[in-house]
Amino acid sequence: MRFSEPQQYLFLIFHSSFHCLIHLFTLISPFNTFTPHICPLSSSGFKVGVKAPLAELHLTFALTQHDPDGLETLLEKVSAPTSPSYGDYLSLEEVSKLVQPKYEVENEVRGWLKMHDVTNCDSVVTRDFLVCIVSTSQEAPQMIQYTRPVSCPSFHPTVGGVHRFPRRRELTVDHPSVSKEQGGNDSLVGKGKGPTRQHADFHLGVTPAVIRARYNLSSSAVGRHPNSSQAVAQVGCDSIFMGLFGKSFAHLSSVARVVGPDGGLHAGLEASLDIEYVMSTGANVSTWFWSTPGLRKGQEPFLQWLVTLSNMSSLPWVHSISYGDDEDSLSAVYMQRVNREFMKAGLRGLTLLFASGDDGAGCKEMSKERNVFRPSFPASSPFVTTVGGTTFSNPFKVTEEVSDYISGGGFSNVFAQPQYQEEAVKKYLASGSLPPASYYNSRGRAYPDVAALSSNYWVVANLLPIPWVSGTSASTPVFAGILSLVNDNRFQLGLPSLGFINPLLYRLPSLGHDRALFDVTSGCHLGCLDEQTQLQGFCARPGWDPVTGWGTPNYPALLHALSRPLSRQDR
């Protein structure tokens, strides 16, 4: 994403208590990059200075929410299929009543800011964010200085460090091939729970027709309900794509709404991929672009999107997001606050899908003798649905799938394993050979949850057809589009939206819906290049695994499984 005007963004957190922390999460500047550091504070006041002619500094203050623990408890009640409150979602106004800070908190923060001439501030509907704009001077030094206020009895601000926003998932453009890790052994593919139907369709890359053939989406599998909606957190679109690849099914030729700057015909490859495949898979479903100005060199104002969610009462039901960052590069305070924003979305019945990443298990060198796997966030959040990647066993035919060696997956080092996945993960860990236990936290949140094709896509960007585009940025909008079609059917039946789907998703096999997803049972993803793992991370196995989750969508069976009210016996 590009800046339309020079802008800078800063995210701070306020904990209103006797020991209040202002935590600097990120500084985004179009002119320079800031190195993470710890900045000691003086007691002379709050000063901001940035060498940025005619620029504005955007400060986002996250105020302490009321009863954050109650958010998670309530989310479990509305998301767990065994709960009597399943599907009883809240409005934005009802969520606001749960989280909005005490009046004294916001008033005190505004007063402190006013002392330092920061007065151009707006709150959001939920009252737990303040967004302030500070004009910068041309003569100011090329730095940010934070100093402690001389009098503020209820909080003591300190700067905890500078962190990046999650980066975009990188796409690759290459020639289709079968990797050594994937093996390509057709006799091993599809021997798990899913159907093992073999297609003979020849193709030169993944298109909407290939997606529909593989995942059993007929020409009639399109959205019809006026309440159906979906979104991608991206910019831009290329209308030529639907003209080339959307002739066999009903579809919309333009987006319903753009939130933020519109990239138009200057949209990049990432933006084009996201919107083209969410609109062609979730065909005929009203689609929004969610665009936020970003930083060069790959950093993105991810939190700006979350802040906007807290300020809009009407939102798309399904969101596809292809951003992430290394879990260990972000502060725990930042990730916990982002998780609470995910909970707020789930309470409103929204479904958030994130790409699992394109680095396999990831790898971090701890010392010359020791490496560990490196999980990604928000993929590792317990409150989103994470999508991994697969590829065809034969890259030129619509065959069964094997895991894509780039598919991100593993175990969080920060978040505990949620109860909804404990049984599935336990079975995987007991199912066979694994990487050395010192490389991962077997008790952490395990991901991905599901998967879809992630290699060799056709994309139209800036009027130009581009073949063989790969990455979990491709699989995520595909799965999001399919869930949009499920939502559409649920609305026709008078059922609520899917919302936070993981608790239900992990129960499907025990409810007899073991064919709702094609089980991917072959292939491994990347690990560390060392003697212990020899570039191999985890491997796909029958059932859930940390490479492809539960597998890829078998639309008719998945639609049946997710579009029926649960009986008392099922609950």
Side-chain angles (χ1 to χ4, degrees), residues 212-269:
R212 288 181 162 265
R214 171 56 188 155
Y215 298 141
N216 294 321
L217 289 158
S218 67
S219 60
S220 62
V222 297
R224 291 180 173 82
H225 198 278
N227 193 30
S228 297
S229 56
Q230 58 191 3
V232 293
Q234 261 295 353
V235 294
C237 183
D238 205 317
S239 59
I240 292 178
F241 180 85
M242 285 301 194
L244 289 174
F245 300 116
K247 296 178 180 179
S248 63
F249 52 89
H251 61 267
L252 299 174
S253 58
S254 61
V255 297
R257 182 172 179 178
V258 176
V259 180
D262 185 2
L265 290 178
H266 300 289
L269 189 62

Side-chain angles (χ1 to χ4, degrees), residues 425-436:
V425 174
K426 182 179 180 180
K427 287 182 179 179
Y428 176 80
L429 294 175
S431 65
S433 61
L434 296 166

Side-chain angles (χ1 to χ4, degrees), residues 18-227:
F18 289 106
H19 299 284
C20 171
L21 172 71
I22 301 180
H23 195 98
L24 172 61
F25 287 122
T26 188
L27 172 67
I28 298 181
S29 167
F31 301 103
N32 54 299
T33 302
F34 288 78
T35 304
H37 64 284
I38 301 296
C39 177
L41 303 181
S42 68
S43 58
S44 59
F46 179 86
K47 299 178 182 178
V48 179
V50 182
K51 187 176 182 180
L54 303 178
E56 290 181 335
L57 185 69
H58 289 233
L59 303 173
T60 301
F61 295 91
L63 279 63
T64 301
Q65 296 161 322
H66 175 69
D67 191 20
D69 294 336
L71 274 180
E72 183 171 356
T73 300
L74 191 54
L75 178 63
E76 291 175 359
K77 291 181 179 179
V78 302
S79 304
T82 55
S83 168
S85 301
Y86 176 65
D88 293 339
Y89 303 124
L90 306 184
S91 67
L92 177 61
E93 290 70 23
E94 290 171 326
V95 171
S96 178
K97 292 178 182 179
L98 289 174
V99 301
Q100 63 183 11
K102 295 180 180 178
Y103 172 77
E104 294 80 5
V105 174
E106 181 179 340
N107 191 46
E108 190 170 24
V109 173
R110 284 183 180 271
W112 179 70
L113 291 170
K114 187 177 180 180
M115 287 171 53
H116 305 288
D117 300 321
V118 181
T119 58
N120 187 5
C121 299
D122 291 315
S123 185
V124 295
V125 173
T126 51
R127 311 300 297 182
D128 52 352
F129 285 106
L130 276 181
V131 180
C132 303
I133 300 176
V134 180
S135 298
T136 62
S137 64
Q138 187 168 356
E139 292 78 20
Q142 198 168 20
M143 63 173 289
I144 297 288
Q145 183 182 0
Y146 303 91
T147 57
R148 190 173 188 165
V150 293
S151 61
C152 189
S154 65
F155 59 84
H156 301 280
T158 58
V159 177
V162 180
H163 296 269
R164 303 188 308 275
F165 272 131
R167 65 180 182 269
R168 286 181 297 178
R169 293 300 184 195
E170 297 300 324
L171 295 170
T172 58
V173 181
D174 52 19
H175 295 280
S177 61
V178 180
S179 70
K180 294 180 180 179
E181 290 84 357
Q182 292 160 354
N185 186 347
D186 287 351
S187 65
L188 297 178
V189 177
K191 292 265 180 130
K193 299 178 180 178
T196 58
R197 182 165 64 93
Q198 186 84 11
H199 298 281
D201 301 338
F202 176 80
H203 64 85
L204 291 173
V206 175
T207 65
V210 172
I211 292 290
R212 288 181 162 265
R214 171 56 188 155
Y215 298 141
N216 294 321
L217 289 158
S218 67
S219 60
S220 62
V222 297
R224 291 180 173 82
H225 198 278
N227 193 30

Side-chain angles (χ1 to χ4, degrees), residues 309-563:
L309 292 186
S310 289
N311 215 27
M312 301 183 72
S313 58
S314 180
L315 292 168
W317 295 109
V318 178
H319 295 252
S320 171
I321 308 100
S322 299
Y323 297 126
D325 213 340
D326 298 322
E327 198 179 65
D328 57 37
S329 72
L330 302 166
S331 79
V333 176
Y334 167 81
M335 291 186 285
Q336 292 290 0
R337 179 54 189 257
V338 169
N339 272 344
R340 289 198 287 272
E341 298 310 304
F342 294 154
M343 293 181 211
K344 286 161 61 178
L347 280 173
R348 298 172 65 186
L350 308 185
T351 304
L352 306 182
L353 294 99
F354 278 84
S356 70
D358 302 332
D359 300 320
C363 188
K364 182 178 182 179
E365 182 180 359
M366 305 300 290
S367 66
K368 290 184 179 180
E369 293 79 25
R370 179 172 177 253
N371 294 325
V372 295
F373 293 155
R374 198 174 197 183
S376 175
F377 181 83
S380 65
S381 169
F383 306 105
V384 302
T385 301
T386 305
V387 185
T390 63
T391 187
F392 286 123
S393 58
N394 182 329
F396 299 106
K397 288 187 177 181
V398 181
T399 60
E400 277 67 40
E401 296 157 81
V402 296
S403 62
D404 194 336
Y405 70 96
I406 67 169
S407 179
F411 297 80
S412 172
N413 290 321
V414 177
F415 307 112
Q417 200 168 102
Q419 185 177 6
Y420 61 73
Q421 67 171 187
E422 286 179 350
E423 183 179 351
V425 174
K426 182 179 180 180
K427 287 182 179 179
Y428 176 80
L429 294 175
S431 65
S433 61
L434 296 166
S438 61
Y439 278 68
Y440 61 97
N441 171 29
S442 63
R443 296 183 178 182
R445 153 53 162 153
Y447 71 97
D449 304 299
V450 291
L453 286 164
S454 59
S455 64
N456 305 328
Y457 277 67
W458 278 90
V459 179
V460 176
N462 300 322
L463 309 181
L464 179 67
I466 301 172
W468 303 323
V469 177
S470 299
T472 52
S473 290
S475 57
T476 308
V478 166
F479 210 102
I482 286 178
L483 291 187
S484 291
L485 294 181
V486 173
N487 261 345
D488 187 274
N489 193 70
R490 287 175 64 90
F491 296 151
Q492 293 180 54
L493 296 173
L495 298 173
S497 62
L498 288 168
F500 177 48
I501 194 176
N502 288 14
L504 175 57
L505 184 69
Y506 279 79
R507 283 210 70 198
L508 291 182
S510 65
L511 294 175
H513 300 297
D514 53 357
R515 289 179 173 264
L517 295 155
F518 292 111
D519 195 5
V520 180
T521 61
S522 178
C524 307
H525 66 184
L526 295 171
C528 292
L529 183 57
D530 57 23
E531 184 176 350
Q532 286 72 30
T533 69
Q534 300 181 28
L535 202 58
Q536 180 173 293
F538 298 98
C539 297
R541 299 216 180 103
W544 179 90
D545 59 69
V547 188
T548 61
W550 286 107
T552 62
N554 177 19
Y555 178 69
L558 186 64
L559 179 67
H560 174 71
L562 298 180
S563 295

